[in-house]
Amino acid sequence: MVVIAFFLVPIAIPGLLVFWSWAVVWLAAAFCALIAWPIFLRPEHGRKSA
C-alpha cells in the first residue's frame, strides 16, 4: 500500500494530467493516501502507550 501512495502516484501524475486536470491528480493522491492510512494506524508490538 505504501508503494502505491509514495511511488505509483508520482509516476502517474503526468499521465493523469494528459487526460484530466490537477484536481484529478489531487483526488488520486488523496485516494491512495486513504488506502495506505490503516498501515500507519497499526499499533507497534512490544511498545506500551503512555
Side-chain angles (χ1 to χ4, degrees):
M1 298 296 175
V2 174
V3 172
I4 292 170
F6 295 127
F7 182 69
L8 293 180
V9 170
I11 289 175
I13 288 173
L16 290 173
L17 281 174
V18 167
F19 297 107
W20 294 289
S21 65
W22 275 104
V24 174
V25 172
W26 283 107
L27 286 173
F31 179 71
C32 290
L34 285 174
I35 291 172
W37 185 258
I39 294 171
F40 297 110
L41 295 177
R42 290 184 185 163
E44 295 180 28
H45 296 288
R47 185 174 178 183
K48 294 181 181 178
S49 58

